[in-house]
Amino acid sequence: MNYHLLGKSSLTISEIGFGCMSLGDNDTDNARLIHSAIEGGLNYFDTADMYQKGQNETTVGKALQGKRDKVILATKVGNKWRPDGSGWEWNPYKHYIISAVEQSLKRLNTDYIDLYQLHGGTIGDPIDETIEAFENLQAAGKIRYYSISSIRPNVIREYVQRSHIASVMMQYSLLDRRAEETCFPLLQLNDIAVLARGSLAGGLLVNKPAKTYLNYTEDEVYKAQSALHAISGMNRNASQTAIRFVLQQQPVTAAIVGIRTIEQLNDIIAATRTPLLTDNEMIYLRASIPVNYYEQHR
């Protein structure tokens, strides 16, 4: 397993992160999977207060008892469940963030959160107030660093200019390269890490039948699938090739992958030991999807 500094922070994280949203309802099974991940070299675990209405944080907290000092623990804030459970509302205000972190700390059974992320964001938010909340929590020792999870370039630009974010979590894969056009150069210039989610495009790059995805047609998705499978084989399977593609993008610090089974975990850990994609393989994959596709469909 390779490890990298998270941007300008002092956090050293594994290049594969465990996306905890995929965990089930059984605490014992979840703990077994998380403990196996730690033994396999993963040290970054990412959850959110909205996942399973807080139960995801609770099960992660239980699994990490006695192992807290071995991991980098990240969670998110901003989506507030309605009291009747009918859905959630966006709340980026300081008073809510300050109160929400206390609930996350309690569920995670920890005194601090390594990386606290704003779970979304719009250009109409009170951004300075949101930043102030994170800065206050950092000064109080409740969190070590803060970041945002967003795919909105205008929001990302504002946080780059106005805050001290350590990273940005965003969707990125062979089938979703919007970040290359809109965010990667800016984040790289400012030494802000990229945490890539959705590396397998919901399974479309691995084992699911081709279908429309974002603005891509079914035929275009099939061509991308075919290209990825064409360069996979004895040295790498399709999922490992898809993850390798993501990890070899210079701004990407880690791929955050949802893991449900030990078999998936072992397959994903093995991806870090597979050969790097060659320049020709990277060119071949990129050629399978029009580079300016998103510019043509804005």
Side-chain angles (χ1 to χ4, degrees):
M1 182 66 64
N2 295 314
Y3 301 86
H4 308 287
L5 275 175
L6 187 75
K8 296 187 288 285
S9 79
S10 64
L11 304 177
T12 300
I13 72 170
S14 51
E15 66 179 356
I16 299 293
F18 196 122
C20 297
M21 184 173 68
S22 59
L23 292 172
D25 298 324
N26 188 296
D27 290 340
T28 301
D29 291 344
N30 293 340
R32 186 181 300 115
L33 190 57
I34 286 173
H35 295 169
S36 295
I38 294 172
E39 291 170 6
L42 277 69
N43 77 341
Y44 179 91
F45 293 84
D46 191 281
T47 180
D49 60 358
M50 73 169 297
Y51 298 162
Q52 297 164 295
K53 299 182 179 179
Q55 287 303 308
N56 196 267
E57 286 185 328
T58 300
T59 195
V60 170
K62 289 178 180 178
L64 291 178
Q65 290 311 293
K67 300 180 182 294
R68 179 66 182 90
D69 61 339
K70 301 180 186 299
V71 304
I72 302 299
L73 184 55
T75 191
K76 308 180 192 74
V77 66
N79 294 297
K80 180 180 180 181
W81 281 100
R82 299 188 186 105
D84 62 4
S86 63
W88 62 84
E89 299 170 345
W90 178 239
N91 193 332
Y93 291 91
K94 179 180 178 180
H95 66 86
Y96 175 67
I97 294 172
I98 296 295
S99 64
V101 75
E102 297 297 338
Q103 297 305 309
S104 286
L105 288 168
K106 182 178 180 180
R107 286 189 292 264
L108 291 165
N109 197 14
T110 185
D111 295 328
Y112 66 96
I113 294 164
D114 294 295
L115 187 68
Y116 203 35
Q117 301 162 101
L118 184 67
H119 203 176
T122 73
I123 201 64
D125 290 345
I127 293 176
D128 288 331
E129 180 178 334
T130 303
I131 294 170
E132 183 181 359
F134 284 121
E135 296 276 358
N136 287 355
L137 291 174
Q138 192 174 38
K142 303 284 187 180
I143 66 174
R144 295 177 67 188
Y145 297 95
Y146 66 93
S147 298
I148 63 171
S149 175
S150 177
I151 59 171
R152 294 176 173 171
N154 57 349
V155 173
I156 291 170
R157 281 193 292 268
E158 291 299 317
Y159 277 89
V160 169
Q161 295 169 5
R162 296 155 70 172
S163 76
H164 299 96
I165 55 172
S167 61
V168 177
M169 179 177 286
M170 61 178 65
Q171 186 165 297
Y172 180 76
S173 71
L174 178 63
L175 281 173
D176 188 353
R177 292 165 55 198
R178 289 173 290 182
E180 291 180 10
E181 304 171 5
T182 57
C183 300
F184 277 7
L186 176 66
L187 297 176
Q188 190 172 352
L189 180 64
N190 288 275
D191 195 17
I192 295 171
V194 171
L195 300 175
R197 60 178 178 83
S199 302
L200 305 180
L204 281 177
L205 290 171
V206 182
N207 53 16
K208 290 187 176 180
K211 64 177 183 178
T212 57
Y213 184 77
L214 300 177
N215 289 325
Y216 287 126
T217 66
E218 181 178 326
D219 183 58
E220 287 170 322
V221 170
Y222 178 75
K223 289 178 180 178
Q225 287 179 335
S226 299
L228 189 141
H229 282 267
I231 64 169
S232 302
M234 293 295 293
N235 292 326
R236 290 185 305 266
N237 62 32
S239 64
Q240 293 165 349
T241 300
I243 290 171
R244 266 281 161 227
F245 175 82
V246 169
L247 291 177
Q248 285 182 228
Q249 308 306 316
Q250 194 167 3
V252 174
T253 298
I256 313 305
V257 185
I259 301 169
R260 293 182 175 84
T261 67
I262 292 292
E263 291 74 22
Q264 289 176 342
L265 173 64
N266 292 336
D267 184 63
I268 289 165
I269 291 174
T272 66
R273 300 192 293 267
T274 60
L276 296 176
L277 298 177
T278 66
D279 290 344
N280 285 339
E281 286 175 325
M282 292 292 281
I283 291 170
Y284 179 70
L285 287 178
R286 288 176 175 277
S288 70
I289 290 289
V291 174
N292 294 322
Y293 186 86
Y294 290 103
E295 289 295 340
Q296 298 164 9
H297 294 77
R298 289 196 190 283

